């Protein structure tokens, strides 16, 4: 039975602590210690109380795994490249915060780069992340038009691209809900800020406003009941009667 950790206080923890150090401490093989600490498939055959002994010993001895040795051994980096348009804006910050929370809970690390809608910078950063061993990409507000070198998840991606999984909002439903709410409050003229043309969502969102607006109008008005002016919504340089709006 392994003696209480406090009895090992004389061990010189300032020296480099290795798997062999922990193995000698708990009276097991380095392979068993490695399997438990890395939670490898072989760890399934190790009793829970033995795993706990190994983890407690590693913590008491201030064990710090060698990242590069671990990467070479497992052929994994557990690192994801996050490619964002910007970090400071509220939307991007919330998305990146959610990415960080999920990756942290699953013991992944991530590197973030900002492309500012510059296609050349996007390709440069994607290559840099690749050389640093990332295992996949997550993009936010990025209009991908071609396949990247690794599996990719695009938050607000809209084009079908090989190797890319798009995460999209139901903009049409969102537009309907927003317009119905404003209409029920008695509003008949609605200003809409379309957003920058470079944003991956702008065109799709505007199309959804047109579709959602038309659906909202036709669902709640008949030809005889329509007011003369009609329900209207505006965007820069546009002034379109809602009942006449159709997707472009």
């Amino acid at each position: 039975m392994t003696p209480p950790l406090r009895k090992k206080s004389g061990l010189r923890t300032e020296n480099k602590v290795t798997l062999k150090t922990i193995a000698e401490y708990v009276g097991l093989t380095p392979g068993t210690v490695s399997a438990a600490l890395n939670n490898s498939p072989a760890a399934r055959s190790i009793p829970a109380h033995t795993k706990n002994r190994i983890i407690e010993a590693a913590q008491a001895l201030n064990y710090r795994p060698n990242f590069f040795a671990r990467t070479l051994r497992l052929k994994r980096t557990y690192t994801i490249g996050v490619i964002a348009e910007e970090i400071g804006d509220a939307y991007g910050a919330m998305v990146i915060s959610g990415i960080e929370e999920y990756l942290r809970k699953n013991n992944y690390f991530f590197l973030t780069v900002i492309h500012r809608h510059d296609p050349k910078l996007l390709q440069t950063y994607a290559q840099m992340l690749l050389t640093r061993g990332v295992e996949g990409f997550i993009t936010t507000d990025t209009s991908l038009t071609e396949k990247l070198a690794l599996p990719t998840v695009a938050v607000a991606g809209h084009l079908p691209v090989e190797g890319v999984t798009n995460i999209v909002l139901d903009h049409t439903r969102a537009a309907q809900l927003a317009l119905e709410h404003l209409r029920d409050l008695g509003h008949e003229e609605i200003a809409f800020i379309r957003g920058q043309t470079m944003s991956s969502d702008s065109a799709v969102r505007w199309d959804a406003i047109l579709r959602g607006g038309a659906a909202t109008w036709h669902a709640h008005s008949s030809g005889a009941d329509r007011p003369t002016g009609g329900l209207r919504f505006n965007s820069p340089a546009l002034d379109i009667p809602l009942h006449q709006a159709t997707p472009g």
Side-chain angles (χ1 to χ4, degrees):
M1 180 177 178
T2 304
L5 295 176
R6 61 178 179 275
K7 294 185 179 180
K8 290 290 183 178
S9 58
L11 188 64
R12 295 185 50 152
T13 56
E14 65 269 18
N15 295 331
K16 184 176 180 180
V17 177
T18 65
L19 293 174
K20 184 177 179 181
T21 307
I22 300 172
E24 291 176 350
Y25 189 89
V26 296
L28 298 169
T29 66
T32 300
V33 172
S34 175
L37 293 180
N38 291 304
N39 198 27
S40 68
R44 289 194 290 265
S45 62
I46 303 174
H49 69 276
T50 300
K51 290 182 184 179
N52 291 335
R53 284 174 51 211
I54 293 171
I55 293 172
E56 288 175 3
Q59 292 174 342
L61 297 173
N62 199 28
Y63 171 67
R64 295 290 182 268
N66 185 309
F67 172 78
F68 297 104
R70 182 173 181 264
T71 297
L72 290 172
R73 183 174 63 256
L74 300 177
K75 297 181 179 179
R76 297 288 306 274
T77 63
Y78 294 94
T79 304
I80 301 297
V82 177
I83 303 175
E85 184 276 330
E86 185 57 82
I87 291 180
D89 67 289
Y91 171 74
M94 289 179 64
V95 174
I96 292 175
S97 177
I99 291 172
E100 183 278 331
E101 181 179 1
Y102 181 84
L103 293 178
R104 171 170 45 83
K105 289 180 179 178
N106 288 275
N107 298 315
Y108 275 79
F109 183 70
F110 72 98
L111 302 172
T112 306
V113 296
I114 302 172
H115 60 76
R116 305 182 191 281
H117 292 297
D118 182 337
K120 292 183 179 179
L121 193 57
L122 171 61
Q123 290 299 324
T124 298
Y125 275 141
Q127 187 61 36
M128 290 176 64
L129 290 170
L130 186 63
T131 60
R132 282 160 176 75
V134 300
E135 298 184 23
F137 298 115
I138 299 176
T139 68
T140 67
D141 193 13
T142 304
S143 299
L144 295 176
T145 58
E146 58 185 40
K147 178 181 179 181
L148 296 181
L150 295 171
T152 303
V153 173
V155 180
H158 298 282
L159 296 178
V161 179
E162 181 184 357
V164 177
T165 299
N166 290 323
I167 307 297
V168 296
L169 298 175
D170 187 344
H171 286 288
T172 299
R173 179 58 178 156
Q176 283 184 292
L177 291 173
L179 291 170
E180 287 174 1
H181 174 70
L182 293 173
R183 183 211 60 217
D184 292 344
L185 292 176
H187 300 293
E188 295 185 356
E189 294 189 359
I190 301 167
F192 175 73
I193 301 175
R194 187 188 298 204
Q196 301 183 73
T197 57
M198 65 184 68
S199 174
S200 63
D201 265 335
S202 292
V204 176
R205 188 185 301 115
W206 177 242
D207 182 77
I209 285 288
L210 298 179
R211 292 180 185 276
T216 300
W217 177 264
H218 291 300
H220 296 89
S221 300
S222 65
D225 296 330
R226 290 177 184 167
T228 303
L231 198 65
R232 303 171 68 87
F233 57 96
N234 309 322
S235 86
L238 289 173
D239 187 7
I240 306 172
L242 187 61
H243 63 279
Q244 297 176 2
T246 55

